[in-house]
Amino acid sequence: MPTKTLRIPTPDGQADAFAAFPERGERHPGVLMYADAFGIRPVLRDMASELAGHGYYVLVPNFLYRNGPTPVIDLPERIGEEVRPALIAQLMPMIEAHTTERVLSDADAYLRFLATQPEVGAGPVAVTGYCIGGLLATHTAAAHPGQVAALAAFHAPVGAAGPDALAAITAQAHFGHAESDLTPHALDELNRALDAAKLDYTSEVYPGTVHGFTMSDTDAFDSAGLRRHWDRLLPLLDRTLRHG
């Protein structure tokens, strides 16, 4: 699977990024993939490459580029629960400084860059994200309703986007929640907000999962949850980017 390390011009500098795409020479639908808080690392490269193998150009930006290139902090090969709190403590000030204004400015730059890549075809794109990346994907879809046809967010605080952002989304959406992230009442509240925003969406709790279940380099990883994630993501992209 061909891959590239890229630099994306933004109003605040340059964001380093990883891209994966099919070997075939024709153009492919574009997918903007936002990493979780731990950023671009082997598991994200593997996931981007797996998605690219289904016929997509997948761009994964380092959304914390203002704090330095990938890796923004030193990461162990496995992010176990014994090290997770200390890593999150390092990352949280950077995440808190990543304001909605910055998110939207960067999203403009990422999508503009994606559209200019020679391997990317004309037409709508998809955005997907994990953990905080799912919130960034939600903001991106809200800010670019004419361009983003599909939105997928996994173990993500999507409700934090707010009702105005949700109401602006025209993409078909899937929200895959960790069982440990939402109480039944909180899920009901979120789904009512999605209904009020008139989204075309699915929203479901993945049984037996905890926050971060898609990431195979963490103790949260759940193989059944990851399979369900692909079972939801791939049909969504197929019907919106290929048959929409």
Side-chain angles (χ1 to χ4, degrees):
M1 186 67 56
T3 62
K4 289 181 181 178
T5 300
L6 301 162
R7 298 186 71 83
I8 303 173
T10 78
D12 291 334
Q14 289 192 324
D16 53 302
F18 174 83
F21 46 93
E23 292 186 36
R24 302 184 300 277
E26 68 266 24
R27 293 173 178 257
H28 306 278
V31 178
L32 176 61
M33 176 185 283
Y34 287 105
D36 62 358
F38 299 117
I40 301 172
R41 58 197 193 280
V43 65
L44 264 297
R45 294 185 179 94
D46 290 346
M47 292 175 76
S49 294
E50 181 163 351
L51 182 53
H54 292 274
Y56 301 98
Y57 182 104
V58 185
L59 179 67
V60 189
N62 168 22
F63 63 84
L64 293 178
Y65 68 90
R66 292 175 182 84
N67 302 100
T70 299
V72 176
I73 65 170
D74 291 333
L75 293 173
E77 288 187 13
R78 182 162 189 83
I79 302 170
E81 286 306 310
E82 73 282 0
V83 298
R84 183 184 179 93
L87 296 175
I88 292 295
Q90 292 182 69
L91 289 165
M92 194 53 66
M94 306 178 200
I95 292 171
E96 290 174 347
H98 196 55
T99 61
T100 301
E101 181 180 11
R102 286 183 171 184
V103 171
L104 297 181
S105 174
D106 288 347
D108 290 346
Y110 300 155
L111 290 178
R112 188 165 52 246
F113 183 86
L114 183 61
T116 63
Q117 296 312 289
E119 301 90 356
V120 176
V125 301
V127 291
T128 185
Y130 305 88
C131 183
I132 185 64
L135 178 58
L136 305 188
T138 302
H139 278 301
T140 300
H144 297 270
Q147 187 175 4
V148 176
L151 162 65
F154 301 93
H155 46 84
V158 294
D164 290 344
L166 295 179
I169 295 170
T170 59
Q172 291 187 35
H174 173 73
F175 304 105
H177 312 291
E179 192 172 87
S180 67
D181 278 350
L182 288 174
T183 64
H185 176 69
L187 177 64
D188 186 56
E189 283 193 336
L190 173 62
N191 290 345
R192 284 203 303 270
L194 297 172
D195 287 338
K198 296 181 169 51
L199 263 69
D200 180 358
Y201 76 96
T202 56
S203 171
E204 64 176 312
V205 171
Y206 287 26
T209 59
V210 298
H211 182 73
F213 63 83
T214 58
M215 297 296 145
S216 62
D217 62 350
T218 73
D219 286 351
F221 177 62
D222 183 90
S223 58
L226 179 63
R227 286 194 302 272
R228 183 184 291 251
H229 144 279
W230 289 120
D231 289 344
R232 301 299 187 266
L233 179 59
L234 293 173
L236 172 66
L237 300 187
D238 185 62
R239 65 178 177 264
T240 54
L241 301 188
R242 299 187 186 281
H243 302 295

